[in-house]
Each structure stands twice: as structure tokens, then as C-alpha cells.
Amino acid sequence: MKRILTILAALAISFTAVADEGMWLLPLLKQLNGKDLKAAGCKLSPDEIYSINKTSLKDAIVHFGGGCTAEMISEKGLLVTNHHCGYSSIHALSSDEHNYLMDGYWAKNLKEEIPCPGLTVTFLVSMEDVTKAIEEATDKQAAEDTLEKAAQEANPGCRIQVTGFYNDNVHYLIVYRTYEDVRFVGAPPASMGKFGGETDNWMWPRHTCDFSMFRVYAGKDNLPAAYSEDNVPYKPAKSLKVSLKGVQEGDYAMVMGYPGRTQRYQTAEQLKQMIQINRIRIDARTVRQDLMWEAMCADPSVQLKYADTYAGSANGWKKWQGEELAFEALNIIGREEEKEASLKAWIEADPARKAKYGDPVAVLAKKVAGETEAKKAFTLLTEAPYSIELVQLAGGVSGLYGRALRGGQDSLAAFESAKAQMKEEYDNYVVELDRKEAVALLEFYRKNAKPEDYLWEGFAEADIPAYVEDLFGRSAFTSFEKLSAAPSFAALDDDPVVLLYKNIYEVIMKYVPAIYYNVDPSGKRASKNFAAALMEWQKGKAMYPDANSTMRLTYGHVLPYSPKDALKYEYFTTSAGLLEKEDPSNPEFILPAGIKDLLLAGDFGRWADKKDGKLHTCFLTNNDITGGNSGSPVLDAKGNLIGLAFDGNWESMSSDVMFEPDLQRCICVDIRYVLWLVEKYGKADNIIGEITYVK
Ligand code: ARG
């Protein structure tokens, strides 16, 4: 307890923050960053960025669909986010007949906006530090529950969450308001929204027009309401103005959004484990993605069906490879170990400190050593045999059936409802592809698993292609029609996929308890102590907590970088690069005809750069972002929108673990490129007219 109070006291004294690094907590901005924000060039006060008493910038920023960020850009609930953030929703609305994903879409009025069932948009209402109440309680869970209950009563209709920061040394009670009537407004064709595909992903120089637009709808009272034709566009407390001034090197720039996860308070041993586990993921996904890609290139209909699955899989796959390379190149483990050695020396120099913190690094090393093999085995199972779609389909039916039973339906009704809910899954299922994947994934598993983790007796010498042939030949899960024809859930009991599912499950369950249930609390305590010790050790330096999908601010400047000796990267790209990269024979680099004509004609209109007359496409800042920040607004010193953050750069892929001031950049799409496309290609004057501009 005493330690916590020291931390709180430490947070209250004045700090020196340095711009660039840091995903800063909004309620602490005034205290930790006030002076530095100003010195960096920000023209807004911390209060204008975040306040719970009056309208502030934070009211324009939303958590989009749970995994991305978006921002309000009109007084009628219009929002903009990345194309890759809207991807799943646009994919779900698309078919071979209405291929919004590949062809793009522009609603020309409210009536043409398309509801997206399941998509939500969440506003942050407030954050309150409740550390003291939680740390002082003997039963922390009960204390959390009490706080949540009181907040729920005070904020009807809101979602309340107590969230831990700095490895659970600090706790905030956060109030959110979620809207569930969100409609698709417009997006470029995927060839523009994802221009450069996986080849350019995580890379600079970049030319991707990574945006999509949606609108939040509310009841007549402006509060959340389930989808209804009677709902009206939501009126946000704050919406962003768009700056058409463009960016110059050295300009102040800040990003507000919902970074997902970072590992900046983890020990070298924990990081080594992460890299080992990710290697398994990379290898398994290579097997699966190669087959998917081949099938997608051969058939546009398969391409559409698998577009979302492929993009999701490949994004992590490439990220982890870059991370592995950057760990080596930047000696991440070595630097972390050095830091830990100094921390240890500092702790041990004072008996009181030693008593307070112990040796958290050693405790965590022991925890890691005890669990790494289990985690690797578990990952191999989930990435290989468990990823066979047929296995997932069987699991899906069984899960939905179980839920319906628990909801009180009788077994026949439960089965019918489970089947009906699986229809969409089957719409995107290509059985011939899955059959190939099944062979490859089972063979991959056999090659990499320990013999005691083999899936069935005789697995070592099984003829896997023959096994898969038989599996797919006899299973009722291979098509929606066959599944629909099954008379009852019980009739599927002997299905060969159910048997395979059980086999996989049995092996998975060997590892689940050790990883998830019987976790030794000493690890959690050590992790908390590790962060607390780091904070006390570096007292005087402002510290920000690891990302955890809560709203943060990162601020810095527009800057170029040097990826390696003698090479310098400009801080912006122009449309000339689109034409340079264009390659009609490569599906990742196709320019839609209409776009190409506009570019060749130099038709940039009011969106051209005032200085050089060119169409600027993307630019770089040294803002500190990670996954989840995708779609976040990039704002100028006055809080006007200048772009959207959408990626990180290859040379600093270890950025979730350590910030690299000279190398790490945030890749942003220039808002003028976005609006050029909306106006000139989409001809959506309705959208252009809704936005307020700063010239
Ligand atoms: N790397 C980006 C991120 O994780 C996603 C980019 C999506 N584009 C793509 N080509 N897969 O935020």
C-alpha cells in the first residue's frame, strides 16, 4: 500500500516529459505534459484536449468497432477511419453483385447509407483515478464491483470499466457510451484503400489511401438506440475541422486514439518468450496464407470470400517478422537486460527498497521458464490444426447450440438456430481450399509438435492426405446444405470432424489450466513490482503506461528519417509514386482506371499542395502509436485534422517494446488525398459539403 502512495505522490510532483515517445494518459496531461506540450508547439491547453467538465477534443475521438480509432468530422455524426478498420464491415456488406470492397461505395444521401449490424462506436465519457480505493481494500474485486455499481447508477446506459495501468499499479474507473446504429457511408475501392497490399504494409514510402467513412445514428434524444429507420444522425459534442494547409517538416503533430497493446514494462525473458511464440505463428501462417493467396489470385470470387481473413492473418504475420528482425538489429534484448541489471543494482543498494520490491526480474524469469513450453504447444495447436476451417465450423455450430440451450431453447430449436446463424460463415467458405489447408496444417503440426502431443494414436505414421480426403468426404460440416440436412445435433456426434475436434481439444486442455487457470499470483505481483520499481527509479521522468485500449495522446513533429547509412527518406509522398508503383500484372498494385486518368490529368483541385502544386499522399511523424491507433486523427497544433494514422515503419518494428527516436515513424495518410478521392473519384459532394475547412 505504502508503495502505491509513493507512486501516486510521485505522479503529483512536476515532471519533465519529452515529446515524441509516450502514449500519454489523458487525465494526467496537465500534470505530466503541460509544459512540454507547449514547448513542442501545441496551441491547445491540456484542458482543451481532455476535460470531463466541458467539451474537449476527446469528444470527437471514438473507439471504432473495438479495435480501431475514428473521429467525428461533421456535426451530423460523420466519421472517418482507416480503410483497413472498416474492412470487415465493408466485406460483410459485399457480394459478387455488390462488391463494395473491391469497387468502393459512395452514399449520395442519408437514405443510401447502409446499416452495419454488429458494428459499434464508443465515446469516452470520463476517467477517474480509483487507485486508492482499490489498493486499500482487502478484497480488490469487491472494491471494483462496488465502484462499478455506483458509477453504473450515476451513468445509466453507459458501460463502466475499472482498468489497470502501469502493470496494475494504478486503476481508473472509465465510463463509455456505445452507439450501435452505425452505417456505411463510403470507401474507395480496395485497390486504393489497400494500395500496395501486404508488400507495402508496414513500410515507407507509402501511397495507400487508407480511409473509409461511416455515420453514427442515435435516437431522437441523441442517445444510443438499436438500429431503427427512425434514428437520426448523432450530434457530437465536438467534431474536427479539416486543415487544407498541409504539413511541413518540423510541424507540431499529435495523435489521439486507442492504442491496443504494448510491452514496454516487460522483462527480457518475457520478451524472448513473445518472440519464440510469434515465430510459431509466422511459420504456421506462412503455410496457410500461401494456399489462400494462390486460390484468391486464381478466382475473384474466392478473393472476395477470403479477403478479410487473409488481411487479418497477414498483418500480424508480417508484423512479427519485422519485430523479430528489429529485435536483432536494434539489440532489444541486450538493451533490456542492461536496463534490468541497473534496476537490480539500484534496488539492492537500499535494504528498504530490496524489501519493498524483491527481485521482480528473477521471479518473472522463473515464471517464464515454467510456462514457455506450454505456451508454445498451445500456440502450435491453435495456429495449426485448430485453424482448419472445418474444425472452426464444427466448433461454431457446437458453441451456438450450447448457447441456445442455455438460453432455454429445446434441443431441436437450439440446433435450428445454431444452423441459421452459421449461414454467413458458409457464405465465405471454399471447401476445396480448406481441404488443402487441412493437409498442410496437419503435416505442419506433425513436423513441429512433440510426439506426446500427437492428435490421435497412429498420428505419427498416418497418411494425412488420405485422412483428410476421408474427413471431408464423410463430414456434414463441409457445406451449409449438408449441415442443414442433419436432423439433430446428436446426429452429428459421429461426424469425423467432431472426433477430430475432440482430439485437438484434448491436447489443448493439457495446457490451458497452466496458462490460464492455475497461474501463480507471484508472477502478477512481480510484474507490478517491476513497473513500480522502474517508476521510482526514474523518478522525475514522466512515465506513461503500456497501451491497453484506452484513449491516449501522443505528440511530436512531422519528420523524415534515415533507414540506413547514407539513405534519407523524405517525410511525404506524392501521387507520382502511385504511377511509379502501378503494375497491372500485380493485384497489389493496380490503379483503378478513373484514378489513373485523374492523376495523369493532374486534376488535384483545391486539394493540391499550396507550395508545390502536387497531390501529397502520405506523410510521417514521430508520434508513438501501435495497432488500435489505426484510424486515429493526426492533428495540427490547434487540433485541426491533417491526416489519419495508419501504420508503423519496417525499421522500427520493435516499437511496441522500445521507442526508437531516430527510426520510429507514424505513417499517416494526408487528409487532402482522402478528400481529393472523395470529391474527384467518388463525386460525393454531399460528404465534401458536410465538412468544415480551415484554409
Ligand atoms: N499495418 C497496419 C496496422 O496494423 C494495417 C495495415 C493494413 N493494410 C494491409 N495491407 N494489410 O495498423
Side-chain angles (χ1 to χ4, degrees), residues 84 194 197-198 201-202 315 630 646-647:
H84 76 262
K194 206 185 163 181
E198 299 315 323
N201 191 16
W202 300 111
N315 192 47
S630 285
F646 74 96
D647 215 350

Side-chain angles (χ1 to χ4, degrees), residues 252-375:
Y252 175 86
M254 61 183 167
V255 170
M256 254 176 123
Y258 281 90
R261 289 264 168 260
T262 52
Q263 297 83 31
R264 300 211 177 141
Y265 289 88
Q266 290 207 3
T267 64
E269 289 304 316
Q270 289 177 299
L271 298 172
K272 281 191 222 163
Q273 181 192 67
M274 175 181 89
I275 293 291
Q276 286 177 37
I277 286 172
N278 287 345
R279 182 28 69 185
I280 298 170
R281 294 198 169 113
I282 297 165
D283 292 341
R285 289 185 185 198
T286 304
V287 169
R288 188 164 174 229
Q289 284 173 204
D290 284 351
L291 291 168
M292 261 195 259
W293 185 246
E294 187 186 289
M296 288 165 76
C297 289
D299 180 345
S301 166
V302 178
Q303 190 191 359
L304 178 61
K305 287 189 163 101
Y306 280 79
D308 196 29
T309 309
Y310 186 84
S313 177
N315 192 47
W317 170 82
K318 191 166 178 187
K319 172 180 173 159
W320 299 320
Q321 293 178 68
E323 196 169 46
E324 205 179 80
L325 291 171
F327 258 63
E328 275 302 306
L330 302 172
N331 185 26
I332 298 293
I333 295 294
R335 285 155 69 197
E336 180 62 36
E337 281 171 347
E338 238 169 71
K339 181 176 98 187
E340 284 164 19
S342 309
L343 178 72
K344 189 176 157 87
W346 174 81
I347 292 178
E348 292 184 350
D350 173 357
R353 272 203 297 261
K354 175 82 190 156
K356 191 154 79 171
Y357 298 121
D359 189 347
V361 174
V363 176
L364 287 168
K366 204 167 145 225
K367 170 180 148 69
V368 167
E371 72 184 11
T372 297
E373 284 312 309
K375 283 196 169 171

Side-chain angles (χ1 to χ4, degrees), residues 574-645:
T574 71
S575 63
L578 284 165
L579 294 165
E580 281 170 12
K581 285 181 179 174
E582 190 208 8
D583 177 0
S585 70
N586 181 345
E588 294 187 310
F589 292 93
I590 290 174
L591 277 184
I595 292 280
K596 196 170 173 185
D597 293 343
L598 289 165
L599 293 181
L600 289 173
D603 187 2
F604 306 144
R606 60 202 277 218
W607 318 106
D609 187 71
K610 301 219 167 36
K611 261 177 129 178
D612 62 17
K614 294 178 183 170
L615 181 66
H616 288 210
T617 42
C618 297
F619 65 89
L620 296 174
T621 68
N622 61 353
N623 293 132
D624 189 4
I625 65 157
T626 186
N629 267 121
S630 285
S632 292
V634 189
L635 304 158
D636 68 9
K638 291 183 179 153
N640 298 314
L641 187 66
I642 50 180
L644 312 183

